[in-house]
Amino acid sequence: MEAATAEMTVVERFQLKAFAEAVMLVDEGVAATKDVELGMMMGAGILPGPLARADEAGLDSMLERLELAEREWGDGFAPPLLLRRLVNQGRLGRKTGQGFFFYPQPDEGAEQPETVLLETRDELAILWLNRPPTNPISPAMIRDLTALWDEIESRDGIRAVLVASSNFAVFCAGADIKGFTKMTDPAAGKELLDGGHGLLRRMEQSSKVTVAAVNSLALGGGCELAMACDFRIAAESASFGQPEINLGIIPGFGGTQRLARLVGEAKALEMNLLGEPISAVQAADLGLANEVVPDHELFDAALAWGRKLAGQAPVAVEQIKKVSAKGDLDEGIEAEKGGFAAAFSSEDAREGISAFLGKRKPKWSGK
């Protein structure tokens, strides 16, 4: 019995020490959460890795265990500052939806599709890509995303949408090639392709503002989905790419069109012809990513963008999205004039001006 107790103590000490060291690597900027987790899983055979394991146990519980270990075994088990900060922020792991990683908390009582989960937080909706292991864009995912977008469009109270991944290791690794090659009916294939393009255009043209929280690999169809969003917030370990050329095909969901509008024609041609991914920092420098943040801060950053955008005047948001980036300047100016008139004559404009003069926060009606 005593030997078993001693063995368990040694195992627990090893696990806690490995966890503390893993957190310190992240806290000191040596490595990102994803890299630490994958390194411990693949190199040390710890499954799941120490950070995901801690999220499951609860970071508040892990903090208590380290504090006890510090008292019993010394300063080498002192809780890292990052762990204390996460606990103080209420980011306790899976049970709160956020810890070192972030986790879906889909709406209860609602029927959830197979490949995408819907979570709503007041005026914000979150579309969680949820098809292990790599969230491939499959025919089923296109149908599920379309159905959920129909639901979102029908709800006036939702004003901003986040697209995120439930898998810490990947945002979306591209199209499900096997799924598409199984489609033997050309008419059905064309209908599906048109449906995918139609969905992405609906997202772009919607009065709802969309934000992609790109936590890791966004390749092929995943990159195209992110580009169809209004904004892209990227984790430091994220990457973007259009590797279809390596399969002898070309991008099929707007990669030859949206990429050039974001990074310029020359760089887009390079990315599409070489098929090599770029880092999050490179994506930000080129204009593909709007902001790059540490991995463990990604979801908070994306939520902050979503909440800020959800709080803007709906009519003005709709008009700005509608008239922006016309191909011809004269056409754009005419569109802006019409959009200004529509926004200026709205109830939202009257409320915004009144709130500004009265030094109070406006209450938008979306009319």
Side-chain angles (χ1 to χ4, degrees):
M1 182 69 176
E2 292 180 359
T5 303
E7 182 180 353
M8 290 300 294
T9 301
V10 170
V11 170
E12 183 179 23
R13 288 178 67 168
F14 171 78
Q15 291 176 338
L16 287 176
K17 184 60 177 174
F19 169 63
E21 292 295 330
V23 177
M24 290 175 64
L25 288 174
V26 176
D27 200 11
E28 295 174 3
V30 176
T33 52
K34 181 192 72 176
D35 297 329
V36 169
E37 193 74 1
L38 290 176
M40 294 296 284
M41 289 169 62
M42 299 177 69
I46 299 176
L47 300 170
L51 302 182
R53 189 186 297 265
D55 277 351
E56 289 289 344
L59 298 192
D60 50 346
S61 173
M62 296 302 297
L63 177 58
E64 292 176 1
R65 291 172 63 187
L66 278 176
E67 289 174 336
L68 177 61
E70 182 184 15
R71 291 194 295 270
E72 291 189 359
W73 300 324
D75 294 342
F77 292 87
L81 179 61
L82 175 58
L83 177 62
R84 294 187 182 278
R85 187 162 69 246
L86 293 178
V87 171
N88 288 337
Q89 293 171 348
R91 292 177 51 176
L92 307 182
R94 183 177 288 276
K95 61 186 175 183
T96 61
Q98 288 178 263
F100 290 103
F101 304 106
F102 39 94
Y103 306 91
Q105 293 185 308
D107 295 347
E108 295 182 1
E111 184 177 350
Q112 298 286 350
E114 178 185 0
T115 65
V116 188
L117 303 175
L118 175 63
E119 177 182 347
T120 53
R121 302 188 183 188
D122 300 322
E123 298 176 323
L124 187 65
I126 306 170
L127 291 173
W128 291 96
L129 306 181
N130 190 52
R131 190 182 176 218
T134 61
N135 292 332
I137 303 268
S138 63
M141 179 176 282
I142 292 174
R143 289 191 291 268
D144 290 345
L145 280 169
T146 300
L148 288 179
W149 192 259
D150 290 340
E151 169 68 17
I152 288 170
E153 286 281 24
S154 71
R155 295 166 63 174
D156 293 336
I158 295 178
R159 295 178 177 172
V161 182
L162 261 60
V163 180
S165 170
S166 63
N167 185 338
F168 80 88
V170 65
F171 176 74
C172 173
D176 182 353
I177 301 298
K178 290 184 179 179
F180 282 99
T181 54
K182 289 179 181 178
M183 300 184 66
T184 57
D185 183 358
K190 182 179 184 305
E191 181 181 355
L192 186 65
L193 194 63
D194 290 343
H197 278 288
L199 169 66
L200 299 186
R201 288 299 285 152
R202 286 178 62 193
M203 291 170 59
E204 290 173 320
Q205 295 168 348
S206 172
S207 61
K208 321 285 186 183
V209 186
T210 51
V211 179
V214 182
N215 60 316
S216 186
L217 299 174
L219 303 177
C223 185
E224 290 167 315
L225 174 60
M227 288 192 294
C229 293
D230 298 310
F231 303 98
R232 287 150 297 281
I233 313 303
E236 288 177 340
S237 66
S239 59
F240 299 79
Q242 298 290 164
E244 289 87 349
I245 188 72
N246 297 319
L247 299 178
I249 60 177
I250 73 170
F253 287 110
T256 63
Q257 303 302 310
R258 293 185 180 91
L259 188 59
R261 287 165 169 77
L262 289 167
V263 306
E265 293 183 9
K267 187 63 180 180
L269 188 62
E270 174 190 319
M271 291 178 64
N272 280 320
L273 289 181
L274 294 181
E276 297 176 354
I278 61 173
S279 69
V281 172
Q282 289 174 303
D285 290 341
L286 291 167
L288 180 53
N290 297 89
E291 184 179 5
V292 178
V293 298
D295 285 28
H296 62 279
E297 296 179 8
L298 174 64
F299 196 58
D300 279 335
L303 283 175
W305 275 76
R307 287 170 178 148
K308 172 67 175 178
L309 293 163
Q312 304 290 55
V315 174
V317 168
E318 180 179 13
Q319 291 301 322
I320 288 174
K321 288 190 62 175
K322 184 177 180 180
V323 308
S324 292
K326 297 292 183 182
D328 178 77
L329 181 58
D330 290 329
E331 179 188 355
I333 294 297
E334 289 302 313
E336 182 181 287
K337 286 158 61 177
F340 178 85
F344 194 75
S345 61
S346 69
E347 292 181 16
D348 275 356
R350 289 192 288 273
E351 166 63 12
I353 293 170
S354 175
F356 175 77
L357 296 175
K359 297 181 179 180
R360 60 177 176 82
K361 186 177 180 178
K363 296 180 180 178
W364 311 117
S365 64
K367 300 178 181 178

